[in-house]
Amino acid sequence: MWAYIDESGNTGNRIFDENQPVFMAAAMATKANFDLVYGHDVTRVAKMAGVAALHANELGVGRVEPIARDLRRILRAAGAKFAFSRIEKKYLAATKVFDTYFDQGENLAVPWNVYWLKPMKLVMTFKLASFVITEEIAKTVWECLTAKSEFTSKKKFVEAASAMLERVHLLPDARSRVIVSGALQWAIENPENFTTHMKGKTHRQGHSPNFVAFNHIMDGLERFSKSWNRPIREIIHDEQEEFQRTLQEWHAIWSKPELKGVQPIIYPGDEPFSVSRGPGSVFRMSTENGSAGLQVIDVVLWLFRRALDGKEIGSDCAALLQFAFKRGLQNDFSFEGVGAFMDEKFGPVFSTPLTAEQQAKAEEKTAEFETHRQKQMQEYAERKTASLASKK
């Protein structure tokens, strides 16, 4: 199996660019080497458009529309499948705030269920984004995560936590106010227990929309590989300099052959997470001029972006895009997309009253979580006090 990946809306770690609020990536997967088998066909179509290689942004709808039907025929013959990732940068910023301060493995004041049960995690993220997190706070947290020095990182960490603590009263329910204020206060008092600073640039770039989308795309490609029962031989990514090393390093981690048999990680309320993606595959960068597959996914992604922006794309272009959607997987990492996922997957759970037995079990578990939380905080306080005393 071969895969071809393209991106759109690249601002890297500069995610507060108002001109590019969304980052998108897409991949095309085929059982055979698309460049080798269908390269001449794509070149023929490009000549029909009066160019040597397809670049949708340069061609515009006026010259893509006449060749869209021919591209659809090629893709149908190739049996192509597609994976799409859409990242709303403001939503990404909100999730980074939540993960930075409410990871129960680091913030011992957070109840276990608030972070590790996906429905509760998403609900709390939405509440924070709606009532507590301002753009200024989100920017401060981003500076904390992308700072080159640990001193600056911790300074921004405490600064943002203090700013959020002043807004906790805006949360609509008492329980959320108790959880959030307790967590933020503990973070301010114990910043040393949080991993906020990454020394290497490639690790800091792991917060970027580029990496999140690449993660989504690799997950989709792994699903195609399993459904076709074919290993991923090669992944060709549209050439770019800023994130090349980061993507190469993460691919090298995920594609280690020894990870192939490792069981997926399962979090409550979430899909299984596989640590192995494309075991044994090759990852390389190429220009669109050097890859017919990259040219085709460039056209598909460009049409997808235009359609989302409400711009005209033409009937044959729409048919081409619809073909890709019918044979594609989509990951919409946005307030709207995740909200729709929440309604579909957890709506019935939230709207169905608990039975007396379920209520009793829930109260029992909540009590267990609270006992564990108090014990963890007490033990940490004792260790910290002992450590400080030994340094005097």
Side-chain angles (χ1 to χ4, degrees):
M1 173 184 144
W2 277 255
Y4 307 84
I5 303 175
D6 194 17
E7 301 175 341
S8 176
N10 179 25
T11 53
N13 273 345
R14 302 171 297 282
I15 68 166
F16 297 98
D17 183 349
E18 294 181 359
N19 296 318
Q20 297 196 69
V22 173
F23 177 83
M24 297 171 62
M28 178 181 71
T30 52
K31 293 180 180 179
N33 185 329
F34 186 88
D35 289 349
L36 184 63
V37 178
Y38 296 97
H40 292 299
D41 294 309
V42 173
T43 298
R44 174 181 55 81
V45 171
K47 287 182 178 179
M48 292 169 54
V51 293
L54 299 176
H55 301 280
N57 192 49
E58 297 175 6
L59 292 172
V61 172
R63 286 197 285 174
V64 173
E65 175 71 4
I67 62 172
R69 188 173 299 182
D70 294 276
L71 288 176
R72 184 155 48 98
R73 290 195 187 104
I74 294 171
L75 294 177
R76 182 179 289 111
K81 289 188 177 183
F82 301 85
F84 299 94
S85 175
R86 175 177 177 265
I87 310 292
E88 181 184 10
K89 295 174 185 177
K90 285 186 177 180
Y91 180 69
L92 173 61
T95 64
K96 289 298 178 180
V97 172
F98 185 83
D99 283 333
T100 299
Y101 292 93
F102 294 86
D103 184 332
Q104 192 269 336
E106 295 187 331
N107 192 328
L108 306 184
V110 176
W112 184 91
N113 51 316
V114 170
Y115 187 76
W116 293 110
L117 292 180
K118 187 166 187 176
M120 298 191 70
K121 178 176 184 175
L122 293 178
V123 167
M124 188 62 78
T125 300
F126 271 61
K127 285 182 180 180
L128 289 171
S130 300
F131 300 101
V132 176
I133 303 170
T134 63
E135 183 171 334
E136 190 61 35
I137 288 172
K139 286 181 178 179
T140 303
V141 176
W142 200 256
E143 290 171 359
C144 158
L145 297 176
T146 57
K148 294 181 179 180
S149 75
E150 185 167 1
F151 175 82
T152 301
S153 178
K154 293 301 182 186
K155 178 182 176 182
K156 295 294 181 179
F157 175 82
V158 174
E159 181 182 327
S162 300
M164 285 189 284
L165 193 57
E166 293 179 358
R167 297 178 56 83
V168 168
H169 67 279
L170 298 174
L171 287 165
D173 62 286
R175 179 57 179 161
S176 293
R177 291 194 291 272
V178 169
I179 292 172
V180 174
S181 61
L184 292 174
Q185 188 62 51
W186 200 87
I188 292 169
E189 295 170 358
N190 303 281
E192 72 283 348
N193 202 48
F194 293 77
T195 305
T196 63
H197 175 248
M198 298 292 181
K199 290 184 178 180
K201 181 180 179 181
T202 57
H203 288 91
R204 293 196 295 273
Q205 287 181 333
H207 297 296
S208 69
N210 306 64
F211 172 74
V212 177
F214 186 59
N215 189 15
H216 294 164
I217 294 297
M218 288 297 296
D219 184 57
L221 295 179
E222 183 64 16
R223 291 172 64 179
F224 293 151
S225 174
K226 290 179 179 177
S227 67
W228 279 338
N229 195 26
R230 287 172 177 257
I232 302 174
R233 293 282 299 277
E234 190 173 30
I235 300 170
I236 300 92
H237 194 291
D238 186 35
E239 190 172 67
Q240 57 127 295
E241 294 183 3
E242 186 176 5
F243 286 86
Q244 179 173 336
R245 184 177 174 184
T246 298
L247 300 185
Q248 287 173 333
E249 288 187 3
W250 277 100
H251 171 266
I253 293 171
W254 291 331
S255 63
K256 291 180 179 178
E258 59 266 30
L259 293 179
K260 185 176 182 180
V262 176
Q263 291 298 313
I265 300 170
I266 301 177
Y267 297 116
D270 205 351
E271 298 294 325
F273 174 79
S274 177
V275 295
S276 174
R277 284 97 176 272
S281 60
V282 173
F283 179 86
R284 66 178 176 90
M285 295 277 184
S286 176
T287 63
E288 290 175 354
N289 286 2
S291 169
L294 288 180
Q295 292 175 48
V296 172
I297 196 60
D298 169 83
V299 172
V300 172
L301 181 57
W302 183 79
L303 290 173
F304 184 28
R305 191 172 195 99
R306 282 188 66 88
L308 286 176
D309 290 342
K311 297 179 180 178
E312 177 61 40
I313 62 173
S315 58
D316 283 331
C317 285
L320 172 60
L321 190 57
Q322 188 63 25
F323 172 85
F325 287 161
K326 286 182 178 180
R327 299 178 61 82
L329 299 172
Q330 293 191 43
N331 195 315
D332 191 348
F333 198 70
S334 67
F335 286 108
E336 182 180 0
V338 176
F341 164 80
M342 285 272 289
D343 290 340
E344 179 181 352
K345 186 161 186 176
F346 303 118
V349 176
F350 290 145
S351 61
T352 304
L354 294 177
T355 64
E357 182 181 0
Q358 289 172 329
Q359 181 67 34
K361 286 184 177 180
E363 291 175 358
E364 181 183 349
K365 277 293 181 185
T366 300
E368 288 180 14
F369 294 146
E370 179 60 18
T371 299
H372 180 68
R373 185 180 78 92
Q374 293 290 348
K375 181 181 178 182
Q376 278 194 314
M377 287 194 295
Q378 180 62 32
E379 290 176 348
Y380 184 85
E382 291 173 357
R383 291 195 303 271
K384 185 173 180 179
T385 300
S387 177
L388 292 174
S390 67
K391 294 178 181 178
K392 290 183 179 179

